[in-house]
Amino acid sequence: MRFISQLDRDSDSYRRNRADMLALVDRLRALEARPMALSEERRARMEARGQITPRDRLARLLDPGLPFVQLHSLAGYMVDSADPETSVPGASVIIGIGFVSGVRCMVVVDDSGIKAGAMTEMTAAAFLSAQEVALKQRLPFLHLVESAGANLMEYRVELWAHGGKLFRNLARLSAAGIPNIAVLHGPSTAGGAYMPGLADYVVGVRKNGMAALAGAALVHAATGERANDRDLGGSEMHAQTSGLVEYLAEDDAHGIEIARQVVAALDWNKSLPARPTPAEIAPPLDPEDLAGLVPVDYRVPYDMRELAARVVDGGVFQDFKPRYGVSTVCLQAAIHGIAVGIIGNNGPIDPDGATKAAQFIQLCGQSDTPLIFLNNTTGYMVGTAYEQAGMIKHGAKMIQAVTSVDVPRITLYVGASFGAGNYGMSGYAYEPDFLFAWPNATTGVMGGEQAAGTMAMVARAGAARKGQETDEVRLAKQSAMIAAHFDRQSDAFYTSGRCLDHGVIDPRDTRRVLGFCLHTCREARARRVKPGSYGVARF
């Protein structure tokens, strides 16, 4: 059925919601602009070396006019610095999925315009996430390499230990039959030398490309040998002597062109069945409304069907069991011609809602229908009546269903996503194929207000047991501190900075992003790969 919207664009609430949401979108764009501006400051220096900037490299690599979805644009935000005004997101790397020679690929570009591309604390987390997506979605992995490596002044043993997974995953990709291609634009030393070392194809750029287990300074410090970087690891040496480089490029632009030719030669789409391109059936309701439909305050309710109607094809969906478990919305629809099941929240999840969702998830598994989870819930219902009604067992079977269903899962945090409700709604720990957040989203074990209230009750009960009066002034200060502590960490910008999603998106881009992700998942399932026992090695 086609949904009949009740949204009033002339209402005060719509105008207030829209102003609040667009302010958050402006904040998102301002944060994303910080690393761009910082990197751009080194343009003149890079051009003097005969190089092009990292973002220009990316633009040359991608097919013009085709979509590119950036991932982890806020990685490292509020991690590199506790000051929100000075923190630079991006983790010195640009990550996303785009088309190269007609092939959907995972692309990672070292942002060498920022501290020479040195890795930050969250670079590895973002990089590992990109590798996992490439493996799951069977995407060729392209890495444009130029990095000063880890900052030794900020060395911590756990970063080194976890960093080994970067190289393990390159081997896993190759062994899984998924090609990985490195373009050596500049230095890649120490552990970073294994980025090209474990790639299936390496393009080395003359004069600037360099890979070595130790640069000249470290070699001299360790062995006393006086060497120069070009003899140790220059692209020319590796192309002629060591055999690490397969293709020697004259400059950055030539290296990128060679990489595009390598991708084209893979004939990577040969196993994909020819599918007629469905006619675009846009929603009759304007997706622009999403900026004013959803309140920034998750405590203010709205109907999830209003959101879905502005995302699905034709604004048409079938409402599954609409009179049962009414606060949990289950819809059958299509997005960009692909049938989907949508689960959304109109409030906390009660026993009936969990039961309905579990059945709906299993039905989508039976019909091999991708699932989309629209999170806006404070969690599963609590209280004597709900416990006696079996909230635990019904919530558990919803979590069981989410864990076990073998269909693509795409999760959006569009409001609150607290407690075990996050688990049942395919949150971060449940490894959905893709997970994005709106800038108003809040996630965590509970809201700050609830956490502060809980601890206040504990404090009062403790004082009563001891026969003491509660110090209300002190308790008020404690409550404010607890609320701030929880709320700061639940903010979408904060959590995205820690790579607890694939990125924060403008709500108005939701249909476009969902369609892109659905087609990525569909291609992955249709594509045949030829895995081996080991990754490809050079001989």
Side-chain angles (χ1 to χ4, degrees):
M1 69 173 188
R2 179 167 289 175
F3 180 73
I4 305 301
S5 176
Q6 302 301 312
L7 181 66
D8 180 4
R9 297 184 185 88
D10 295 324
S11 67
D12 290 341
S13 61
Y14 179 86
R15 286 192 287 266
R16 182 171 57 252
N17 292 344
R18 183 175 176 83
D20 291 344
M21 185 68 78
L22 293 183
L24 289 172
V25 172
D26 287 345
R27 180 186 172 197
L28 171 63
R29 297 299 178 233
L31 287 174
E32 290 176 332
R34 283 185 192 175
M36 297 181 193
L38 186 59
S39 182
E40 185 66 19
E41 290 176 4
R42 292 179 61 88
R43 174 179 288 273
R45 189 168 180 178
M46 296 188 75
E47 289 177 347
R49 294 199 299 259
Q51 294 183 300
I52 58 178
T53 65
R55 283 171 178 77
D56 286 348
R57 292 170 188 169
L58 176 63
R60 287 175 180 260
L61 179 68
L62 297 173
D63 294 349
L66 292 183
F68 174 74
V69 172
Q70 187 172 356
L71 309 180
H72 298 300
S73 66
L74 297 184
Y77 177 62
M78 296 290 287
V79 178
D80 64 325
S81 168
D83 185 351
E85 299 304 316
T86 60
S87 178
V88 178
S92 299
V93 69
I94 309 162
I95 296 173
I97 302 173
F99 291 87
V100 179
S101 297
V103 175
R104 201 183 299 255
C105 297
M106 176 63 73
V107 179
V108 176
V109 182
D110 294 336
D111 196 342
S112 52
I114 301 177
K115 296 182 180 179
M119 295 180 68
T120 70
E121 184 175 345
M122 294 308 298
T123 305
F127 207 112
L128 288 168
S129 173
Q131 291 176 323
E132 292 294 341
V133 171
L135 184 64
K136 191 170 187 177
Q137 305 303 336
R138 299 180 176 180
L139 301 171
F141 191 87
L142 277 74
H143 184 191
L144 306 189
V145 183
E146 184 175 18
S147 172
N151 185 341
L152 296 182
M153 298 299 292
E154 298 177 2
Y155 168 78
R156 295 207 309 274
V157 68
E158 63 268 26
L159 297 180
W160 161 78
H162 289 301
K165 296 177 184 176
L166 298 174
F167 312 125
R168 178 204 67 173
N169 282 352
L170 291 174
R172 288 174 66 203
L173 283 164
S174 184
I178 299 169
N180 57 86
I181 301 160
V183 181
L184 196 57
H185 290 280
S188 185
T189 56
Y194 288 104
M195 290 297 183
L198 285 160
D200 296 323
Y201 304 90
V202 177
V203 181
V205 176
R206 286 184 185 273
K207 298 181 181 179
N208 290 315
M210 187 268 186
L213 295 177
L218 181 55
V219 167
H220 181 64
T223 69
E225 178 189 353
R226 294 189 179 277
N228 68 72
D229 283 340
R230 303 316 299 167
D231 290 339
L232 280 170
S235 294
E236 300 89 337
M237 184 280 290
H238 284 306
Q240 182 173 334
T241 305
S242 77
L244 178 69
V245 167
E246 279 73 47
Y247 310 99
L248 187 61
E250 295 301 317
D251 53 27
D252 283 349
H254 185 213
I256 291 167
E257 182 55 36
I258 293 173
R260 287 180 53 81
Q261 292 170 0
V262 170
V263 173
L266 296 172
D267 196 13
W268 193 244
N269 292 336
K270 61 180 176 293
S271 65
L272 297 183
R275 293 181 180 272
T277 302
E280 172 68 7
I281 308 175
L285 300 172
D286 192 349
E288 183 72 27
D289 291 343
L290 294 176
L293 165 68
V294 178
V296 168
D297 185 349
Y298 66 83
R299 292 167 295 189
V300 179
Y302 67 94
D303 188 353
M304 192 61 70
R305 296 173 183 85
E306 292 275 8
L307 191 163
R310 289 161 174 82
V311 172
V312 303
D313 291 355
V316 174
F317 52 72
Q318 185 71 20
D319 207 335
F320 179 78
K321 287 189 174 179
R323 294 176 178 81
Y324 179 81
V326 295
S327 64
T328 300
V329 177
C330 299
L331 308 173
Q332 296 158 297
I335 297 176
H336 286 208
I338 297 177
V340 295
I342 299 172
I343 301 178
N345 312 117
N346 277 355
I349 306 170
D350 61 17
D352 289 349
T355 298
K356 177 169 78 170
Q359 181 189 4
F360 187 70
I361 291 166
Q362 292 181 48
L363 289 170
C364 287
Q366 182 187 64
S367 61
D368 199 24
T369 302
L371 281 159
I372 294 171
F373 295 83
L374 303 177
N375 281 235
N376 186 31
T377 182
T378 52
Y380 291 110
M381 291 296 294
V382 296
T384 303
Y386 294 105
E387 297 289 5
Q388 292 180 359
M391 187 70 263
I392 294 173
K393 71 176 184 181
H394 295 306
K397 68 188 180 189
M398 181 178 174
I399 291 172
Q400 288 269 20
V402 167
T403 301
S404 303
V405 69
D406 185 24
V407 299
R409 288 176 289 119
I410 302 171
T411 300
L412 281 176
Y413 295 155
V414 299
S417 186
F418 289 138
N422 173 270
Y423 305 158
M425 289 294 292
S426 192
Y428 173 79
Y430 290 77
E431 299 180 348
D433 292 74
F434 292 98
L435 169 57
F436 292 95
W438 283 8
N440 61 302
T442 56
T443 58
V445 66
M446 64 181 72
E449 182 181 339
Q450 291 76 23
T454 299
M455 294 310 297
M457 285 188 285
V458 170
R460 288 193 177 94
R465 283 195 304 270
K466 298 174 184 177
Q468 299 172 349
E469 288 290 327
T470 301
D471 185 339
E472 292 296 340
V473 173
R474 182 179 178 183
L475 185 58
K477 290 180 179 178
Q478 174 186 289
S479 295
M481 183 177 65
I482 291 172
H485 178 67
F486 273 74
D487 288 341
R488 181 176 70 93
Q489 295 185 74
S490 68
D491 176 79
F493 296 88
Y494 185 97
T495 54
S496 195
R498 281 153 176 75
C499 295
L500 300 181
D501 55 38
H502 288 121
V504 177
I505 65 170
D506 184 331
R508 297 167 296 181
D509 291 334
T510 298
R511 174 176 164 83
R512 178 181 64 83
V513 172
L514 287 177
F516 185 94
C517 293
L518 285 166
H519 281 284
T520 300
C521 293
R522 170 173 277 190
E523 282 187 14
R525 289 180 168 241
R527 180 172 281 111
R528 293 190 302 272
V529 295
K530 190 174 182 181
S533 299
Y534 299 92
V536 175
R538 290 171 175 78
F539 296 97

